Amino acid sequence: MSLLDLVNLDLSECHKTNKSKIIAEYIWIDGSGMNLRSEGRTLHGPVTNPSQIPKWNYDGSSTGQAPGEDSEVILYPQAIYKDPFRGGNHILVMCDAYTPAGEPIPTNKRFNAVKIFNHPEVLTEEPWFGIEQEYTLLQKNLNWPLGWPIGGYRGPQGPYYCGVGAEKAFGRDIVDLHYKACLYAGVNIGGINAEVMAGQWEFQVGPTVGISPCDDLWVARYILVRIAEAVGVIVSFDPKPVEGDCNGAGAHTNYSTKSMRADGGLEVINKAIEKLGKRHKEHIAAYGVGNERRLTGEHETADINTFNFGTADRGASIRIGRDTQKAGKGYLEDRRPSSNMDPYMVTSMIAETTIIWKP
């Protein structure tokens, strides 16, 4: 058996001889707040609910999440997905992390997000989120965008957005494999497109309710990085991977509540925008590391120190679509979050500010 045969090994034969064995790949966010880690474990299956999966542990001193003398961190399974890499009944398990005493560790932002989404006022409003995740594919060992000459630059921006052709689109095979793998896994992925900067792409998750799009986004990120790993390409979620006259990378967050989607919802949207403006600094602080390099007032962004909004304005902090304006109801788009944002923090903060917070 060759290495390629082993990589492509069909594990379905295992189910014929021992149907109770599955592989669960436990996934969690490490101490960086951005990078993902995972470890596999054989379980008795099939598994259909996270409550059927045992908690597990890992060495938090090796992930920046615990001291060496007390390094055990406990993984709590929270959401399950079909494993697109192993197939069969094997699963990916999105987890959050706790101390042995059951307290959420500081990098566990999911815990607080769940509390906000379970608030009675938030439950009543059924918040929907759709997140546009931009990212950049980099050449391994060079940290330079895919398709760019080594040490050099591509031509001016313009041809690359939704571009087609070998001189315009770089890494499409990775993007297409990711799209299919997410659909297989059960991620609510809405679409893909090439972005304004060469080598930069976007996928969308949602719209779905509450915590679900957050779990989906983290698992979609994991699948993307795994696919890129297999072909020797780096995925960067840096908000400004290349300095100069080129676009950065964001995670525009589309948001609506039951009241916004109902007749007369535009008035509710405008009131929500007013609240978001009053807490602009607090939101910016939670919207991603290095975002000041991206939010400059240029390249389809608002200046980081300024809050503004407008209809169909991609240079605004908050954009209202023309369809929403025309219908008098719909959703808003928060264009401030960076590509490396934590969706648990961003979505729950938007819900808290616009629904719970009373200025």
Side-chain angles (χ1 to χ4, degrees), residues 41-57:
R41 181 178 184 178
T42 305
L43 300 177
H44 292 284
V47 171
T48 58
N49 191 286
S51 63
Q52 298 173 273
I53 304 172
K55 297 172 186 175
W56 206 11
N57 64 76

Side-chain angles (χ1 to χ4, degrees), residues 10-12 15 80-92 176-189 219 223 227:
D10 183 2
L11 295 179
S12 60
H15 303 302
I80 58 175
Y81 298 81
K82 293 173 65 178
D83 188 337
F85 304 103
R86 295 183 175 115
N89 290 325
H90 308 294
I91 56 175
L92 304 177
D176 196 47
L177 285 171
H178 174 248
Y179 196 177
K180 294 173 182 176
C182 283
L183 287 171
Y184 175 89
V187 170
N188 194 346
I189 186 168
V219 171
I223 293 171
I227 290 172

Side-chain angles (χ1 to χ4, degrees), residues 29 36 46 49 54 74 109 134 168 183 231 282 337 340-341 351:
I29 304 158
L36 290 161
N49 191 286
I74 313 301
K109 307 304 181 185
E134 295 176 342
K168 301 183 186 73
L183 287 171
V231 295
E282 291 90 337
N340 61 8
M341 63 83 153

Side-chain angles (χ1 to χ4, degrees), residues 137-189:
L137 297 175
L138 303 179
Q139 302 170 58
K140 188 179 179 182
N141 300 326
L142 297 175
N143 285 325
W144 202 238
L146 204 64
W148 289 42
I150 297 173
Y153 292 79
R154 298 296 310 181
Q157 295 186 150
Y160 311 113
Y161 174 69
C162 298
V164 178
E167 77 285 11
K168 301 183 186 73
F170 310 102
R172 189 184 297 277
D173 287 348
I174 294 171
V175 174
D176 196 47
L177 285 171
H178 174 248
Y179 196 177
K180 294 173 182 176
C182 283
L183 287 171
Y184 175 89
V187 170
N188 194 346
I189 186 168

Side-chain angles (χ1 to χ4, degrees), residues 95-119:
C95 305
D96 58 356
Y98 296 78
T99 68
E103 296 296 321
I105 66 172
T107 51
N108 180 355
K109 307 304 181 185
R110 192 184 192 280
F111 180 82
N112 188 61
V114 169
K115 289 200 298 184
I116 291 171
F117 287 127
N118 284 336
H119 189 283

